[in-house]
Amino acid sequence: MKTVKIPSQNKTYTIGKIVCLARNYADHIKELGNETPAAPVLFMKPATSVIGDGEAVRIPSYSTECHYEVELAVLIGSEGRNVPVETALQYVAGYGVAIDMTLRDVQNHLKGKGLPWEIAKGFDTACPLSDFVPAEAIADPHALTLKLAVNGEERQNGCSSDMINTIPRIIAHVSSIFTLEPGDILLTGTPSGVGAVVAGDVMTAEIVSVGRITIPVA
Ligand code: MG
């Protein structure tokens, strides 16, 4: 079973479902040539896709184009259903750094056929994840700098203030469809600058004052 930690509180959570937003930053929507969705576009990754700091991403043999997407991860701390926007942040236990690894060639092929994306997004090692900092330690989760470098070269540098759907809106929307439980994780979308990595590359993903992970590609 996969777990995540809030080390400063000595707390461990068994990971439940990982609900992810696609297209939540305008500049990233533009770079992929997508339309801005009327409602949040959701998909899920299984807990088995999670790896920790220092563990390697393994690109499946059915893809030749594996992209990184640095994202703010939100750890849910209590059960909630139909959570109102006004109280949504009370359900957050902590914040972390995630990379939404995406097989872009496979995703584009599936999208074109109107088929689901799971094999492009949920494969083993597709969700590198840091330890979490407690929610109380982050004064404003919508004022965080997200960065990703490949082999030391900066590729992504964005701010969580540019999210289209804010964290309370995401929690309200997701919890109107799926009951949220402690250990569930929300990935809140990526800013622009996504691109491919190949075996031998090393990714460093950082959210300032939240955390940093170093993830090699095997
Ligand atoms: Mg993403």
Side-chain angles (χ1 to χ4, degrees):
M1 217 136 37
K2 298 271 185 174
T3 58
V4 283
K5 283 190 285 258
I6 304 182
S8 67
Q9 295 180 331
N10 207 13
K11 279 189 188 162
T12 301
Y13 292 78
T14 299
I15 301 173
K17 54 191 168 296
I18 304 170
V19 183
C20 312
L21 260 83
R23 305 180 198 170
N24 201 29
Y25 285 79
D27 54 352
H28 172 63
I29 294 172
K30 217 179 285 171
E31 75 178 343
L32 291 187
N34 286 320
E35 277 171 32
T36 302
V41 175
L42 304 180
F43 63 92
M44 289 204 252
K45 289 179 187 262
T48 45
S49 67
V50 170
I51 55 172
D53 184 27
E55 291 186 73
V57 165
R58 292 178 190 279
I59 303 171
S61 58
Y62 54 85
S63 172
T64 57
E65 190 186 15
C66 182
H67 277 197
Y68 52 79
E69 300 185 351
V70 64
E71 310 205 358
L72 175 64
V74 176
L75 175 64
I76 298 298
S78 47
E79 185 171 313
R81 192 156 196 279
N82 293 322
V83 172
V85 170
E86 296 71 29
T87 56
L89 287 180
Q90 294 171 11
Y91 291 78
V92 178
Y95 296 100
V97 185
I99 312 177
D100 169 16
M101 297 306 300
T102 303
L103 306 176
R104 194 72 68 201
D105 52 349
V106 176
Q107 184 195 30
N108 286 338
H109 175 76
L110 294 168
K111 251 193 218 170
K113 299 204 159 204
L115 294 168
W117 309 344
E118 271 76 6
I119 67 166
K121 291 280 199 179
F123 58 94
D124 286 358
T125 74
C127 192
L129 198 59
S130 70
D131 285 340
F132 283 71
V133 294
E136 310 85 81
I138 302 298
D140 182 359
H142 302 101
L144 298 171
T145 300
L146 296 84
K147 292 185 201 175
L148 188 137
V150 178
N151 305 326
E153 208 176 281
E154 188 172 280
R155 301 285 181 85
Q156 291 190 275
N157 186 332
C159 184
S160 60
S161 59
D162 291 332
M163 283 184 196
I164 295 169
N165 298 284
T166 60
I167 295 160
R169 286 180 58 188
I170 295 168
I171 292 171
H173 180 69
V174 170
S175 72
S176 74
I177 302 165
F178 311 110
T179 298
L180 290 174
E181 297 178 301
D184 287 348
I185 292 168
L186 309 174
L187 300 195
T188 55
T190 195
S192 62
V194 303
V197 282
V198 294
D201 285 341
V202 177
M203 300 176 286
T204 310
E206 183 180 7
I207 300 180
V208 179
S209 63
V210 171
R212 177 193 168 102
I213 47 174
T214 301
I215 302 289
V217 181

